[in-house]
Amino acid sequence: MDLAAGAASLLAMHAVPICLCILFLASPAFAQPGSPGAPPRLPQRVGACVETRVEAVDTRLVGGDNRPVPGSGSAVRFANGGYQVGYDTVPGIEDSRRGDRVLMCLVALPSNCPPGDSRGRVYTVTNLRTLQSWTRPDASHRCSGA
């Protein structure tokens, strides 16, 4: 493959995440933090987005010795208090590093939840360093679930 074809192929792979980031950052649904230096809040409306940072990348399960359990799935915690978890290993999460800037968008809300149980919010996150995106819930189970 020549250099031009390689560059075109690389651009095609990243075109959708780049376009999505530009659209969300330019959209009125993009929520900025309330005061300078304050961590951004979680998006509250479906379609709303915030920029935040990766706080920690881990596995879904941690053993009794507080060590990650390989193959148990991926988990990521964000500076704005957000969290995502999946039973599968998510390449975008695994390739993220503490401090990476990400765009976090709320894409689904749980319904018919008892008061105080809001588990099951689903977020699509794009890592602005790697341009990888993933969609995962904020808990292993939806509200009222086991």
Side-chain angles (χ1 to χ4, degrees), residues 26-53:
S27 118
F30 179 69
Q32 293 290 340
S35 59
R41 295 176 300 272
L42 290 168
Q44 299 299 306
R45 295 180 334 267
V46 171
C49 301
V50 297
E51 183 180 317
T52 187
R53 293 188 180 274

Side-chain angles (χ1 to χ4, degrees), residues 65-97:
D65 56 358
N66 214 22
R67 291 183 188 211
V69 177
S72 66
S74 296
V76 59
R77 191 173 63 244
F78 302 98
N80 65 350
Y83 179 76
Q84 286 183 301
V85 63
Y87 283 90
D88 55 334
T89 299
V90 181
I93 293 175
E94 299 296 316
D95 293 342
S96 294
R97 298 182 194 147

Side-chain angles (χ1 to χ4, degrees), residues 19 21-24 33 39 41 45 52-53 69 74 81 88 90 95 126 130 133 136 140 144:
C19 290
C21 287
I22 291 168
L23 286 174
F24 282 124
R41 295 176 300 272
R45 295 180 334 267
T52 187
R53 293 188 180 274
V69 177
S74 296
D88 55 334
V90 181
D95 293 342
T126 299
T130 65
S133 296
R136 291 293 179 277
S140 294
S144 301

Side-chain angles (χ1 to χ4, degrees), residues 8 15 100 109 112-113 117 124:
D100 280 354
L109 290 168
N112 303 317
C113 296
D117 189 355
T124 293

Side-chain angles (χ1 to χ4, degrees), residues 119-141:
R119 293 175 297 164
R121 291 173 172 255
V122 179
Y123 299 95
T124 293
V125 174
T126 299
N127 183 310
L128 300 177
R129 178 181 61 85
T130 65
L131 299 179
Q132 292 173 294
S133 296
W134 61 89
T135 301
R136 291 293 179 277
D138 63 356
S140 294
H141 302 280

